């Protein structure tokens, strides 16, 4: 799975696997037709994409999108010579460039980062594994977390940590980060985790003190909330009437935007009908098997004529 906050407990499995979260619920919500045309806008390691492909007949089509180059490698392995499937390395807000308007029967977004991204110390997402402080899903684009912390002033850093991490000690942490820069660039996850831990008073049980700061930086560096705002309208436009839009979110900041944007697409624009009055959440069995699923929420909508 996935889109987990960076505070993954130590006991979770490592390795290159990603257990797709809410797999059955997502597949049911897509109401897959064997000859339909589907988009998995967050391919990851292909857990959901493989399920979709398995339900398509010879006439079916799947477009998989991800901005991570390692997802591209995984897609090449999964799709091999399957002419029904193609992979596009792009941001999902660019969907409109790769999928024709009113052509898709379903679009799936499983937001956040994948387990292999979190677990690979070289990607710099996790305070549990020391590595370069990068955090970019697409390492070829934009500013790394280390570059941001080296460039931004204390006020900007505090704003990001407060808004995107909902961290009440944001000002204190930003002050400590700026002070730490005096003795050299904060270039590793381990150094940042140490600076934050020393700045935060007290301890929340079961939670590393840097959890919220890492979440905030990851969301900021990847412009995750901006991407969500942009993609929902584009995705609704890609759907043909009756087509399904399915979104799995992993924290309240994401889910709030999904909920409000879907509502606006329904009430203001009359573009979709929201199918989930309340979001679907994983069973306790799924959370036991895959703790990263614990905060997942699935919302679905259907494109109107
Ligand atoms: C939670 S994982 C998806 C896992 C996938 N459903 C699976 O079963 O393997 C999210 C993936 O979406 C990608 N991603 C996140 N935001 C993106 C964006 N704005 N554009 C393109 N890809 C994005 C990440 O690189 C990551 O691989």
């Amino acid at each position: 799975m996935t889109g987990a906050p960076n505070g993954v407990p130590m006991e979770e499995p490592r390795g290159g696997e990603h257990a797709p979260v809410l797999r059955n619920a997502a597949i049911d919500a897509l109401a897959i037709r064997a000859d339909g045309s589907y988009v998995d806008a967050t391919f990851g390691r292909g857990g959901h994409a493989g399920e979709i492909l398995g339900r398509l007949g010879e006439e079916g089509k799947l477009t998989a999108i991800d901005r991570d180059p390692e997802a591209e490698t995984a897609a090449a392995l999964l799709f091999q010579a399957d002419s029904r499937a193609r992979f596009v390395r792009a941001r999902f807000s660019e969907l409109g460039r790769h999928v024709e308007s009113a052509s898709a029967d379903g679009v799936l977004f499983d937001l956040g980062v994948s387990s292999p991204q979190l677990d690979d110390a070289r990607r710099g997402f996790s305070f549990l594994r020391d590595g370069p402080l990068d955090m970019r899903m697409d390492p070829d684009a934009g500013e790394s977390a280390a570059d941001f912390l080296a460039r931004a002033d204390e006020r900007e850093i505090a704003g990001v940590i407060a808004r995107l991490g909902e961290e009440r000690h944001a000002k204190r942490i930003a002050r400590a980060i700026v002070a730490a820069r005096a003795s050299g660039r904060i270039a590793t996850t381990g150094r940042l985790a140490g600076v934050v831990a020393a700045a935060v008073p007290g301890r929340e049980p079961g939670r590393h003190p840097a959890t919220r700061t890492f979440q905030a930086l990851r969301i900021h560096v990847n412009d995750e909330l901006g991407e969500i705002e942009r993609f929902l309208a584009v995705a609704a436009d890609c759907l043909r009437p009756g087509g399904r839009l399915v979104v799995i979110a992993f924290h309240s900041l994401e889910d709030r935007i999904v909920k409000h944007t879907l509502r606006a697409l329904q009430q203001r624009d009359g573009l979709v009908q929201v199918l989930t009055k309340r979001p679907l959440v994983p069973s306790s069995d799924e959370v036991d098997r895959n703790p990263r699923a614990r905060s997942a929420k699935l919302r679905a909508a259907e494109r109107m004529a």
Side-chain angles (χ1 to χ4, degrees), residues 1-3 18-20 40-48 65-68 71 90-93 110-114 117 137 227 250:
M1 130 64 195
T2 208
H18 179 99
D40 180 346
T42 51
F43 177 83
R45 291 302 178 271
H48 288 105
I65 294 178
D66 204 296
R67 60 181 172 180
D68 187 331
R91 282 183 285 126
F92 53 54
S93 57
D110 177 18
L111 299 171
V113 280
S114 66
Q117 285 170 327
M137 294 180 193
E227 279 287 299
F250 287 88

Side-chain angles (χ1 to χ4, degrees), residues 152-278:
D153 65 20
E154 188 176 318
R155 201 154 153 237
E156 187 177 358
I157 296 171
V160 165
I161 297 174
R163 193 166 50 86
L164 303 180
E166 301 180 294
E167 168 62 71
R168 65 198 161 102
H169 302 301
K171 283 189 178 159
R172 207 186 264 257
I173 293 170
R175 202 175 313 131
I177 287 171
V178 169
R181 287 194 312 212
S183 49
R185 178 181 160 89
I186 302 177
T188 64
T189 52
R191 174 139 189 255
L192 177 62
V195 169
V196 175
V200 170
R203 283 279 180 276
E204 264 180 81
R207 194 190 265 267
H208 189 288
T211 303
R212 295 175 200 277
T213 300
F214 271 65
Q215 172 185 303
L217 290 173
R218 189 200 96 199
I219 295 174
H220 173 72
V221 159
N222 294 292
D223 186 22
E224 290 181 38
L225 302 186
E227 279 287 299
I228 300 175
E229 279 162 6
R230 289 188 288 273
F231 82 65
L232 282 169
V234 179
D237 181 67
C238 289
L239 288 171
R240 51 168 68 115
R244 296 284 179 90
L245 176 54
V246 178
V247 188
I248 305 173
F250 287 88
H251 52 75
S252 54
L253 294 169
E254 283 176 348
D255 184 56
R256 208 173 299 147
I257 297 176
V258 174
K259 178 172 144 187
H260 290 177
T261 313
L262 286 182
R263 192 181 292 159
L265 288 172
Q266 171 171 298
Q267 292 174 356
R268 186 194 60 205
D269 307 332
L271 271 182
V272 303
Q273 162 99 47
V274 176
L275 301 173
T276 41
K277 293 269 171 288
R278 285 167 180 277

Side-chain angles (χ1 to χ4, degrees), residues 21-26 247-250 255 276-287 289-290 293-300:
V21 170
L22 284 166
R23 180 179 53 198
N24 295 341
V247 188
I248 305 173
F250 287 88
D255 184 56
T276 41
K277 293 269 171 288
R278 285 167 180 277
L280 305 182
V281 296
S283 65
S284 49
D285 271 3
E286 177 170 358
V287 176
R289 271 182 280 118
N290 180 11
R294 63 190 171 273
S295 52
K297 287 191 173 148
L298 181 151
R299 295 184 189 269

Side-chain angles (χ1 to χ4, degrees), residues 113-164:
V113 280
S114 66
S115 302
Q117 285 170 327
L118 273 178
D119 292 344
D120 182 348
R122 293 168 301 175
R123 304 299 301 268
F125 283 107
S126 173
F127 46 77
L128 297 176
R129 298 161 182 76
D130 194 23
L133 184 60
D134 192 315
M135 296 200 191
R136 287 172 296 174
M137 294 180 193
D138 177 355
D140 301 325
E143 185 177 52
S144 71
D147 287 341
F148 170 67
L149 291 184
R151 169 189 63 74
D153 65 20
E154 188 176 318
R155 201 154 153 237
E156 187 177 358
I157 296 171
V160 165
I161 297 174
R163 193 166 50 86
L164 303 180

